[in-house]
Amino acid sequence: MASESFDFAAQALRSGDPDRYLATLVLPAAARPGITALYAFNADVSAIRERVSGPQPGEIRLQWWNDALTDKGHGAVRQNPLADALLDTIERHGLPVGTLQRLLGARRFDLYDDPMPDLESFEGYAGETASTLLQLSAMILNAGEPVEPGDAAGHLGVAQAMIGHLRAFGYVSAQGRIMLPWTILAANGVRENEIFAGQDSEGLHAALSQVAELAQGHLDKARNAIAALPTSLRPAFAAIALLEPQLAAWKTRSSSAFAAPPDAPDWRKIARLAWWGFRNR
């Protein structure tokens, strides 16, 4: 079933997380199926809130994945093609199950409406989700051996999460959620009811601009850390080729903080990824 399962994972990733799907196109062919399965698993988990009626069924779905990772209570887990591809990847590359379980634990936050408390909490959340994917991707490229010290994954993961939530600020706030650090928003005089009402303000723009500068700092550190890596590991971090122009576009936008900034067409993203891959061989 494995071959069909990996094909299914690729299609699921393409529809559920297009940018990460495009980033897999610059991976070595041998590593692409495993990293694609990893990303598709994350796309499925990150979309749970969108598919359920409330936190409880979301918790049940997260528990299903947790049990699937440890092969408990679900004799037919392998009948799920995404789970089949993920478990095959874990076995083939010796990925640490505990790391993926921590990712599931961090995703519990997505199911509830509590605001992200502060910068430290956000960085911890990003570390257990986005950075984890990058670290495990590099591990797959490294023949299953851990990759240290993880600075590239740490900084790029936080930048990826910040940029993603800056771009999705209007969409997420319309759901009654605040995923960017509340302390930064509150320090600029922003109130929850203003955010949920879609009300622009100077304070909101100032707060989001501070987050953008933090994201830029993490991108800069990630770029330096990636340059210090062996060339064989760098393809795991190709997403930086998409994140840098996305952050630049967000900074130069002139519309509301709640409006989604324009994004480049896929062909341009593919060209950027290909050029980045060529320069980092």
Side-chain angles (χ1 to χ4, degrees), residues 1-280:
M1 184 180 176
S3 177
E4 294 83 359
S5 296
F6 282 107
D7 290 341
F8 178 90
Q11 290 302 317
L13 179 62
R14 187 172 189 173
S15 60
D17 192 343
D19 280 2
R20 280 195 173 95
Y21 171 78
L22 294 177
T24 66
L25 300 180
V26 301
L27 293 168
R32 190 178 302 135
I35 294 175
T36 297
L38 190 65
Y39 287 175
F41 157 72
N42 176 71
D44 183 87
V45 171
S46 64
I48 286 177
R49 179 181 171 122
E50 309 266 336
R51 301 197 305 265
V52 298
S53 58
Q56 186 172 2
E59 293 273 13
I60 292 171
R61 182 62 180 171
L62 286 175
Q63 187 60 49
W64 186 93
W65 271 114
N66 191 75
D67 291 346
L69 288 172
T70 54
D71 212 16
K72 292 180 181 176
H74 297 284
V77 161
R78 292 280 189 167
Q79 297 303 310
N80 179 310
L82 189 50
D84 183 53
L86 179 65
L87 293 173
D88 187 86
T89 298
I90 291 170
E91 293 165 5
R92 189 176 302 182
H93 300 284
L95 302 184
V97 169
T99 301
L100 292 171
Q101 288 177 309
R102 288 193 295 275
L103 183 152
L104 291 173
R107 286 295 183 185
R108 291 186 67 245
F109 186 85
D110 298 353
L111 303 178
Y112 298 89
D113 292 338
D114 301 323
M116 183 65 69
D118 49 40
L119 181 59
E120 183 179 4
S121 299
F122 183 92
E123 290 180 338
Y125 171 88
E128 297 287 12
T129 53
S131 296
T132 285
L133 295 176
L134 295 165
Q135 190 77 359
L136 293 178
S137 298
M139 186 175 171
I140 290 173
L141 290 174
N142 202 38
E145 294 298 320
V147 180
E148 296 296 343
D151 290 346
H155 288 299
L156 188 58
V158 173
Q160 192 170 36
M162 284 182 169
I163 294 166
H165 280 292
L166 282 169
R167 290 173 51 79
F169 184 75
Y171 178 79
V172 173
S173 62
Q175 298 177 329
R177 304 168 65 206
I178 297 173
M179 289 295 293
L180 292 173
W182 174 245
T183 50
I184 294 178
L185 293 160
N188 284 275
V190 181
R191 298 178 181 178
E192 279 193 18
N193 63 327
E194 295 172 346
I195 292 176
F196 297 149
Q199 183 177 333
D200 258 323
S201 68
E202 289 185 11
L204 178 58
H205 282 269
L208 297 182
S209 293
Q210 287 178 24
V211 175
E213 290 309 310
L214 290 169
Q216 185 66 64
H218 282 292
L219 273 183
D220 293 342
K221 291 175 182 177
R223 192 184 310 107
N224 292 334
I226 293 167
L229 289 173
T231 55
S232 61
L233 302 183
R234 293 179 191 171
F237 306 96
I240 194 171
L242 304 183
L243 295 171
E244 289 178 325
Q246 284 178 340
L247 181 59
W250 186 91
K251 288 180 178 180
T252 58
R253 81 201 188 294
S254 58
S255 57
S256 161
F258 297 91
D263 201 7
D266 283 355
W267 67 266
R268 183 166 290 170
K269 291 181 179 181
I270 292 170
R272 285 170 175 160
L273 287 163
W275 177 241
W276 186 91
F278 175 78
R279 293 175 58 203
N280 283 273

